[in-house]
């Protein structure tokens, strides 16, 4: 079993250089995932000079950890949209999402990108008879919105269901191969891609200026922030989004046992199923589920539940791959794609995809390119980050902020004393209070301790330990850090300070380098 996502393991791609000199372009795109690269490609086609700035490797962050369903059917969203925003809102959502699906398929064909794109029906199913009426309502709303939706009480799954929404003409693909193809096409047309280039500052002047961690500056007329969670908070979008992680397990099955479709249910803490080509006569069964808040802990146990469900339902006993995905859910259930904040003139954002980053990423490229070029689509306003729906959003927003406040206060009160350090087993991490300071301490398999500040550098919440991925995670806004404090995922752009625990044996990384602090 490997913990590297199948998409990354099966498509290495070529490296791109880090930015090592100042640069001037028409548009700077921050983030090299589905949204960022899709936007960059559309802009390049318009004849603009474009630079993509990626902190890690392109198509290897959140996009590299996706399940890669390419669908306009997003569980039970259409009945909710019709109720909260009206039938026209649901219709515009369906139109834009299906357009994004078709656009990816057309782009892959146009460029000749071999990304295993397959047309499949999509199912949102329930096993509980009591949920069937909700399914029927969703079928009605999705059909009215314009999708090829129908009700069924059977499916290709190897277990019975009570009912499902079936939507035709959806797709699944290899996201990294697709995006690597886009990258090759756009660089051939003059675009610049920089990996290992973290952006840490933004000046929204005319022109805009970005500053990187390495001290380089990029000057651009327009800037697109496509970093999954915005690395700058000027739009105050953090108050309207909630991060959530999901786990993924994948097992090899004979091609004859492929259910030939994309499936999802919100029951049992979510279960999502699809397959991918895996050599002659075999398919890779990809199962996603076990949603949880970053930093919640117990991740190994959650992986165990997901693997057990996969074995029970599909007879797939041996997990070949496992990884985790993360996305942000907005207070009204719609992504934020458009001007960054009310005063923005040349800065744009794409975030809050709610677990459906493939269609929303492609949609972002179309929408943001239109805005930058002064055009509008019928559905542009639907995704505008500046929208406010007080009645619709008040309840979810208050709940989100109450949860953040609870973490900000409660996680500090729950910090363990320094004496608990002796009980920390190899491979485990804990937040301890040492000389009045909260420290995130990890003991590696050799018994050495690695200590960093437990306070997230984004907005100051206390991190929690992920025992499966061996990472520190912020429950408030989803920032993730390595055990050495390095930033793995934003919105944080600064690492956790390293801490030296006096009188304890430390790993070489834990007690050296910039940011070193002493506790004790």
């Amino acid at each position: 079993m490997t913990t590297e996502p199948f998409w990354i393991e099966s498509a290495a791609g070529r490296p791109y250089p880090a930015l090592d000199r100042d640069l001037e372009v028409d548009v700077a795109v921050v983030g090299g995932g589905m949204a960022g690269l899709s936007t960059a490609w559309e802009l390049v086609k318009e004849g603009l000079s474009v630079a993509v700035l990626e902190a890690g490797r392109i198509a290897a962050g959140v996009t590299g950890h996706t399940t890669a369903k390419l669908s306009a059917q997003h569980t039970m969203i259409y009945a909710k949209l019709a109720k909260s925003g009206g039938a026209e809102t649901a219709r515009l959502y369906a139109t834009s999402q299906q357009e994004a699906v078709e656009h990816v398929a057309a782009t892959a064909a146009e460029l000749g990108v071999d990304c295993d794109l397959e047309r499949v029906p999509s199912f949102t199913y329930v096993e509980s008879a009591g949920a069937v009426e909700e399914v029927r309502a969703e079928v009605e709303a999705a059909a009215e919105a314009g999708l090829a939706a129908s009700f069924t009480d059977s499916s290709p799954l190897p277990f019975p269901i009570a009912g499902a929404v079936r939507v035709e003409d959806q797709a699944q693909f290899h996201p990294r191969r697709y995006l690597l193809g886009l990258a090759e096409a756009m660089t051939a047309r003059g675009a610049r891609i920089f990996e290992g280039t973290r952006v840490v500052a933004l000046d929204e002047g005319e022109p805009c200026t970005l500053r990187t961690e390495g001290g380089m500056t990029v000057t651009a007329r327009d800037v697109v922030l496509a970093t999954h969670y915005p690395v700058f908070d000027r739009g105050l979008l953090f108050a309207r989004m909630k991060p959530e992680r999901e786990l993924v397990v994948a097992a090899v099955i004979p091609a004859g046992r492929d259910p030939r479709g994309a499936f999802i249910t919100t029951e049992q803490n979510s279960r999502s199923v699809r397959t991918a080509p895996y050599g002659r006569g075999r398919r890779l069964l990809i199962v996603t589920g076990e949603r949880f808040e970053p930093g919640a802990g117990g991740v190994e146990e959650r992986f165990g539940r997901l693997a057990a469900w996969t074995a029970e339902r599909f007879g797939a006993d041996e997990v070949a791959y496992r990884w985790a995905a993360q996305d942000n859910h907005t207070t009204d259930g719609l992504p934020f794609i458009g001007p960054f904040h009310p005063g923005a003139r040349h800065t744009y954002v794409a975030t809050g995809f709610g677990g459906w980053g493939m269609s929303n990423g492609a949609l972002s490229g179309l929408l943001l390119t239109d805005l930058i070029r002064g055009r509008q689509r019928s559905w542009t306003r639907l995704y505008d980050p500046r929208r406010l729906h007080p009645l619709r959003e008040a309840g979810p927003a208050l709940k989100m902020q109450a949860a953040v406040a609870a973490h900000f206060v409660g996680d500090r009160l729950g910090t363990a004393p320094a004496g608990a350090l002796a009980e920390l087993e190899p491979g485990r991490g804990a937040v301890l209070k040492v000389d009045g300071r909260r420290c995130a301490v990890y003991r590696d398999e050799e018994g050495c301790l690695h200590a960093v500040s437990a306070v997230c550098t984004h907005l100051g919440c206390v991190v929690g330990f992920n025992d499966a991925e061996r990472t520190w995670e912020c429950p408030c806004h989803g920032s993730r850090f390595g055990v050495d404090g390095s930033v793995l995922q934003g919105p944080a752009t600064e690492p956790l300070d390293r801490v030296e625990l006096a009188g304890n044996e430390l790993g070489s990384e834990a007690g050296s380098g910039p940011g070193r602090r002493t506790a004790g």
Side-chain angles (χ1 to χ4, degrees):
M1 182 182 65
T2 176
T3 56
E4 185 172 56
F6 167 68
W7 317 121
I8 298 175
E9 188 267 346
S10 59
R14 70 177 178 90
Y16 289 89
L19 181 65
D20 62 358
R21 59 178 61 89
D22 294 346
L23 184 68
E24 183 173 347
V25 290
D26 293 327
V27 185
V29 178
V30 186
M34 184 68 179
L37 291 176
S38 294
T39 302
W41 168 243
E42 300 300 328
L43 291 166
V44 166
K45 288 197 300 180
E46 295 274 335
L48 300 178
S49 62
V50 178
V52 177
L53 310 173
E54 166 56 46
R57 295 194 64 196
I58 62 168
V62 172
T63 293
H65 291 70
T66 180
T67 311
K69 290 179 177 178
L70 185 59
S71 176
Q73 184 201 35
H74 299 169
T75 58
M76 300 288 196
I77 194 170
Y78 289 100
K80 294 176 182 175
L81 287 179
K83 181 179 179 180
S84 62
E88 180 65 4
T89 294
R91 187 190 68 79
L92 291 173
Y93 188 85
T95 299
S96 58
Q97 296 294 330
Q98 191 64 39
E99 184 174 334
V101 172
E102 302 303 332
H103 187 71
V104 171
T107 301
E110 174 192 349
L111 297 178
V113 178
D114 182 9
C115 59
D116 294 332
L117 193 142
E118 300 172 319
R119 288 291 193 170
V120 294
S122 179
F123 298 80
T124 294
Y125 72 91
V126 296
E127 295 181 60
S128 168
V132 169
E133 286 309 308
E134 182 183 2
V135 171
R136 290 188 181 277
E138 179 66 14
V139 170
E140 182 178 347
E144 185 177 347
L147 296 183
S150 61
F151 175 83
T152 181
D153 57 7
S154 64
S155 79
L157 291 169
F159 52 86
I161 65 170
V165 185
R166 175 175 174 142
V167 177
E168 310 298 336
D169 301 323
Q170 304 309 296
Q172 56 192 20
F173 72 139
H174 192 304
R176 185 163 163 80
R177 286 181 186 162
Y178 173 75
L179 291 173
L180 292 177
L182 282 194
E184 292 290 345
M186 72 177 73
T187 54
R189 296 194 183 194
R192 307 285 300 277
I193 296 177
F194 299 98
E195 296 182 327
T197 302
R198 186 180 300 280
V199 173
V200 297
L202 165 65
D203 179 359
E204 295 185 67
E206 293 190 12
C208 300
T209 303
L210 295 165
R211 181 169 56 82
T212 72
E213 192 174 46
M216 303 298 109
T217 61
V218 177
T219 303
R221 185 186 65 211
D222 296 290
V223 170
V224 173
L225 299 175
T227 56
H228 180 62
Y229 198 116
V231 293
F232 306 109
D233 289 321
R234 296 168 199 180
L236 299 180
L237 298 181
F238 67 87
R240 301 166 67 193
M241 291 198 300
K242 175 185 177 183
E244 189 174 74
R245 287 186 74 70
E246 281 190 289
L247 305 181
V248 185
V249 297
V252 180
I253 60 172
R257 285 164 47 194
D258 180 5
R260 300 184 184 279
F263 309 86
I264 191 168
T265 181
T266 57
E267 296 177 335
Q268 304 171 75
N269 195 16
S270 180
R271 294 290 185 264
S272 171
V273 177
R274 64 155 290 190
T275 65
Y278 199 73
R280 181 174 297 179
R282 299 187 298 171
R283 302 282 292 185
L284 190 67
L285 175 72
I286 302 170
V287 179
T288 308
E290 293 297 316
R291 293 178 176 176
F292 64 98
E293 178 184 87
V299 182
E300 279 289 359
E301 183 180 346
R302 300 175 200 274
F303 264 123
R305 285 198 294 267
L306 192 60
W309 186 89
T310 303
E312 175 193 350
R313 298 302 181 92
F314 293 90
D317 296 318
E318 187 172 341
V319 172
Y321 300 85
R322 77 174 196 179
W323 68 88
Q326 184 164 310
D327 214 335
N328 303 303
H329 297 257
T330 68
T331 46
D332 65 358
L334 295 170
F336 296 130
I337 308 169
F340 189 20
H341 54 80
R345 296 294 178 266
H346 296 282
T347 52
Y348 304 87
V349 69
T351 187
F353 295 159
W356 300 100
M358 298 299 97
S359 61
N360 279 308
L363 182 154
S364 296
L366 297 171
L367 191 158
L368 295 177
T369 297
D370 279 349
L371 287 176
I372 288 170
R373 300 297 276 169
R375 302 189 296 257
Q376 294 269 328
R377 292 176 183 248
S378 61
W379 36 266
T380 298
R381 292 182 60 188
L382 181 68
Y383 299 101
D384 194 326
R386 301 168 298 183
R387 68 184 183 268
L388 288 174
H389 304 297
L391 294 179
R392 191 189 313 174
E393 296 188 60
L398 288 172
K399 186 176 180 180
M400 284 184 190
Q401 294 316 303
V404 169
H407 281 297
F408 198 84
V409 176
D411 291 352
R412 284 166 165 74
L413 297 176
T415 302
L421 184 63
E423 302 173 8
L424 194 62
E425 298 178 355
R428 300 291 180 179
V431 175
L432 310 175
K433 194 168 187 179
V434 182
D435 286 351
R437 189 178 188 198
R438 292 164 194 85
C439 300
V441 184
Y442 168 71
R443 188 185 296 277
D444 65 26
E445 299 296 347
E446 286 70 45
C448 293
L449 296 172
H450 304 261
V452 294
S453 168
V455 179
C456 179
T457 55
H458 175 229
L459 290 178
C461 289
V462 175
V463 298
F465 187 64
N466 180 324
D467 60 347
E469 300 174 88
R470 310 291 174 88
T471 56
W472 296 105
E473 300 173 351
C474 176
C476 295
H477 307 108
S479 296
R480 303 178 64 243
F481 306 87
V483 293
D484 63 350
S486 59
V487 178
L488 301 178
Q489 185 171 332
T493 59
E494 298 292 330
L496 301 175
D497 284 340
R498 298 178 183 180
V499 175
E500 181 176 347
L501 301 176
N504 289 288
E505 181 184 4
L506 294 175
S508 59
E509 290 186 344
S512 63
R516 174 179 174 176
R517 302 288 180 84
T518 300

